[in-house]
Amino acid sequence: MSTSFTSMTVSELQAALADGATSADVTRTYLDRIEAEDGVLGAYLHVDPEAALERAAAVDASGKAGTGLAGIPVALKDVVVTEGIPTTSGSRILEGWKPPYDATVAARLAAAGTVLLGKTNMDEFAMGSSTENSAYGVTRNPWNPERIPGGSSGGSSAAVAGGLAPWAIGTDTGGSIRQPAALTGLVGHKPTYGSVSRYGLIAFSSSLDQAGPMARTVLDAALLHEAIGGHDPLDSTSIDVPVPVLAECARRGAEGDLSGLKVGVVRELGGQGHTDGYEQGVLDRFTEAVALLESMGAEVREVSCPAFDLALPAYYLIAPSEASSNLSRFDGVRYGLRVGDDGNHDLDEVMALTREQGFGAEVKRRIILGTYALSSGYYEAYYGQAQKVRTLISRDFSAAYADVDVLVSPTTPTVAFPLGSRVDDPVAMYAADLCTLPASLAGVPAISVPCGLSDGLPVGFQVMAPALADERCYQVAAALEAAQDAARGSRFLDQLPRRDAEPVGGAA
Amino acid sequence: MSTPSQGQLSRDEVAHLARLARLAVTDEELVLFAGQLAAVLDAVAQVGKAGVEDVPPTTHAVPMTNVMREDVVRPSLPRETVLAGAPAAEDDRFRVPRILQEEA
């Protein structure tokens, strides 16, 4: 019984807890698995087993385990600040920092009775698509340890896919929930911008950053989203609308009736004339999934969104520009690292030495790029132009949604690539976000759900919906998941080798 | 609007930008970044292709302005908790390196 906790969905864990299992048992099983497997995977930056077990025992003692999310373990991406618990955002500049407060996302999960397993690895300040930009080492893909787990939420994706957490929180600025979810066979959802509080997320690009769920099933993702969503007065960009009903939509979607639903296949994201950089296996799985939606009654048509071709250049101007401003707060004064404060250097020099030593290469590149794009003489040609392209992308979405209910595409152009293969080529690395960037720039919700394997590695299917219509993402994703599970006779993640094996250490 | 010059970012320009951004980059980094950023600039300069006459810029996906709340006094974080995270503190304050060139 105890080893199977790590292959259960959260809804199954809820049933087990309601049926007499203790949160302490569940938590210990996960901690054992982390102890055995994380030396290889590198999913976590911080785990405090004693604190987790203490917390689980307290939930058990309260008698609430098994009601709602009480007693369910969870992992948080290290970009989420947690009071008194080390939070680094994957950067040396915050090594050893213990935040003085909780992010709203962390506070809501704590209030729901969840048990924090630990903080997960990530690309430094969420800048990256492979988690190789972490200052604290690489994270490996549970499907193949020589491959990247995606990024920037790659610690969260590896933890959940590898059975080291039942689910996890990620954040998505240009695809950092959806892309790692796709590459590890998970469900990952980027909520409508403004529908999940950003209070206490270490800022990367404030007009784009959004936290969301990464889970083994669509229903689990919906449950986690409901727990963290909703208005927060501490975030001035938080939208004041009721928490959406998502789990119910996931359950209804799983019944497999999509009649009347209009689905638009985006030509610019892997369609005719736009297949450069896409692997054939990814396109094949995508086409099969679209056919499956059609077989469940969906009306499928091709939609053209010409401005999507410019999403990548627009994003890689807007995000670095905002980052160069946001990261100015790391000045070596109020928190984190300070270098060169020996009496011979003034504040300016100490700042420059601190940031030089505290930031990694990709962060420096983006700060320099953002500084350039915002500088006088270049502002209009770069940042200003990118903001106008952003308007064109939003207009393409609006025009498309006048005709269809959801838009679909592959989540990523390729399956997980080998570790090290793109680290020296930023432009190649950025291309991993090709399909996820349009929804980020327009602030609309988008989900990634597995749609099969190519070369033995997971392929993700992206469903995008209009702002505040997140439930459509869950409905369509659940229909696809249920139909594929039925055809396969098992869940997607059950194909992962060794997934149900007893925890053993020292695997290569 | 000027057209961005493509693929041109000299070592000196990178050094200037790094100074503006308070990054004490090394010589090796200057060479590496100049090459990589030139390739990135080539890619992002594609935004110049878009016809954007009369298109307003989008600064934010959600059109909200002036979100107001009641001006209510709330407790702040305890001073010692905040200073505990600082690299240097003195007399209940953040201690900073000297700001002016003269000896303090």
Side-chain angles (χ1 to χ4, degrees):
Chain A
M1 177 69 183
S2 72
T3 48
S4 68
F5 285 145
T6 57
S7 54
M8 284 183 179
T9 67
V10 169
S11 29
E12 288 165 351
L13 284 174
Q14 286 175 312
L17 288 170
D19 209 29
T22 66
S23 174
D25 283 343
V26 174
T27 302
R28 194 175 299 110
T29 309
Y30 274 100
L31 291 169
D32 288 349
R33 179 127 177 143
I34 292 168
E35 171 80 25
E37 303 280 341
D38 206 38
V40 173
L41 283 183
Y44 283 93
L45 291 176
H46 176 82
V47 178
D48 185 344
E50 256 176 61
L53 288 171
E54 207 173 291
R55 164 83 177 156
V59 176
D60 286 329
S62 74
K64 290 200 176 110
T67 61
L69 303 189
I72 305 286
V74 65
L76 296 176
K77 184 179 182 180
D78 206 33
V79 72
V80 180
V81 306
T82 40
E83 185 178 348
I85 298 167
T87 302
T88 67
S89 207
S91 182
R92 283 279 170 227
I93 211 162
L94 282 177
E95 190 167 12
W97 182 57
K98 291 182 180 170
Y101 68 101
D102 269 332
T104 296
V105 165
R108 286 189 179 170
L109 287 173
T114 65
V115 175
L116 179 64
L117 285 171
K119 307 291 291 288
T120 57
N121 199 15
M122 56 184 284
D123 284 300
E124 184 175 5
F125 291 109
M127 297 178 194
S129 307
S130 68
T131 311
E132 291 166 296
N133 295 333
S134 168
Y136 302 98
V138 299
T139 299
R140 293 171 185 275
N141 191 321
W143 291 79
N144 179 341
E146 299 311 314
R147 301 270 171 158
I148 57 116
S152 66
S153 310
S156 288
S157 69
V160 179
L164 275 54
W167 56 12
I169 293 296
T171 59
D172 191 313
T173 303
S176 285
I177 288 173
R178 291 162 284 161
Q179 185 256 13
L183 301 190
T184 56
L186 302 182
V187 178
H189 181 69
K190 182 198 86 74
T192 297
Y193 180 85
S195 68
V196 174
S197 171
R198 289 186 300 110
Y199 180 73
L201 305 186
I202 296 173
F204 161 18
S205 182
S206 304
S207 80
L208 299 163
D209 296 344
Q210 193 62 191
M214 301 175 75
R216 293 176 189 163
T217 66
V218 177
L219 178 59
D220 284 0
L223 291 168
L224 187 52
H225 186 162
E226 286 178 350
I228 59 172
H231 182 242
D232 178 14
L234 297 174
D235 173 1
S236 64
T237 58
S238 172
I239 301 172
D240 195 359
V241 294
V243 183
V245 177
L246 302 169
E248 193 43 46
C249 286
R251 288 195 189 92
R252 213 166 44 234
E255 290 167 11
D257 180 9
L258 296 180
S259 46
L261 183 86
K262 297 193 185 99
V263 174
V265 176
V266 182
R267 183 190 303 154
E268 284 74 13
L269 301 177
Q272 200 168 20
H274 294 81
T275 54
D276 270 7
Y278 289 81
E279 289 173 354
Q280 192 56 46
V282 168
L283 295 174
D284 290 346
R285 293 300 89 73
F286 174 71
T287 308
E288 291 158 15
V290 170
L292 204 48
L293 296 182
E294 212 161 11
S295 76
M296 289 184 275
E299 291 171 35
V300 177
R301 66 184 74 168
E302 191 185 62
V303 167
S304 177
C305 300
F308 285 17
D309 280 341
L310 295 175
L312 192 133
Y315 175 85
Y316 279 99
L317 285 166
I318 291 168
S321 295
E322 293 188 13
S324 71
S325 166
N326 269 327
L327 268 59
S328 66
R329 71 182 47 137
F330 297 101
D331 54 10
V333 172
R334 290 156 298 166
Y335 31 67
L337 188 70
R338 177 182 291 185
V339 175
D341 185 15
D342 53 8
N344 296 318
H345 296 103
D346 66 16
L347 180 66
D348 240 23
E349 292 165 335
V350 168
M351 229 180 257
L353 291 167
T354 300
R355 290 159 63 82
E356 171 62 14
Q357 194 167 314
F359 291 146
E362 180 63 15
V363 172
K364 289 176 196 167
R365 275 194 294 268
R366 294 208 196 182
I367 288 174
I368 292 170
L369 180 65
T371 304
Y372 181 70
L374 293 175
S375 59
S376 140
Y378 298 102
Y379 181 95
E380 266 311 311
Y382 285 114
Y383 185 67
Q385 180 80 4
Q387 286 184 308
K388 291 173 185 172
V389 169
R390 192 173 181 182
T391 305
L392 296 178
I393 290 167
S394 290
R395 286 181 181 173
D396 277 359
F397 270 111
S398 301
Y401 289 139
D403 290 329
V404 297
D405 300 308
V406 295
L407 293 169
V408 299
S409 77
T411 308
T412 59
T414 72
V415 294
F417 43 88
L419 286 162
S421 62
R422 299 191 189 183
V423 278
D424 295 322
D425 186 349
V427 177
M429 187 67 88
Y430 299 169
D433 303 334
L434 201 60
C435 310
T436 48
L437 294 171
S440 297
L441 290 165
V444 301
I447 201 166
S448 179
V449 59
C451 65
L453 297 172
S454 171
D455 296 328
L457 293 165
V459 177
F461 185 88
Q462 180 175 233
V463 183
M464 298 168 271
L468 296 174
D470 296 60
E471 72 280 358
R472 289 188 205 167
C473 296
Y474 285 99
Q475 182 205 353
V476 176
L480 188 60
E481 175 186 62
Q484 293 189 327
D485 285 0
R488 195 186 298 115
S490 68
R491 280 195 204 108
F492 185 82
L493 278 178
D494 293 340
Q495 302 169 93
L496 205 164
R498 291 187 60 247
R499 196 177 153 68
D500 292 319
E502 296 284 326
V504 283
Chain B
M1 186 190 78
S2 63
T3 307
S5 56
Q6 301 216 342
Q8 289 172 8
L9 200 59
S10 67
R11 280 186 49 172
D12 287 350
E13 281 176 289
V14 174
H16 174 64
L17 292 165
R19 256 194 314 278
L20 290 177
R22 302 294 184 277
L23 291 168
V25 290
T26 62
D27 287 347
E28 295 78 50
E29 281 178 318
L30 278 183
V31 175
L32 181 69
F33 291 167
Q36 290 173 330
L37 288 170
V40 172
L41 274 181
D42 256 353
V44 298
Q46 302 298 315
V47 291
K49 283 178 167 178
V52 293
E53 216 176 312
D54 301 327
V55 175
T58 296
T59 52
H60 231 269
V62 181
M64 281 195 291
T65 46
N66 296 340
V67 177
M68 309 298 260
R69 62 166 169 77
E70 293 301 308
D71 188 11
V72 181
V73 178
R74 293 187 303 149
S76 306
L77 292 167
R79 179 186 294 170
E80 57 272 26
T81 311
V82 173
L83 290 175
E90 204 175 289
D91 298 335
D92 287 341
R93 296 179 178 90
F94 295 113
R95 191 182 69 71
V96 296
R98 71 187 151 81
I99 291 167
L100 303 172
Q101 286 303 320
E102 298 86 5
E103 287 302 312

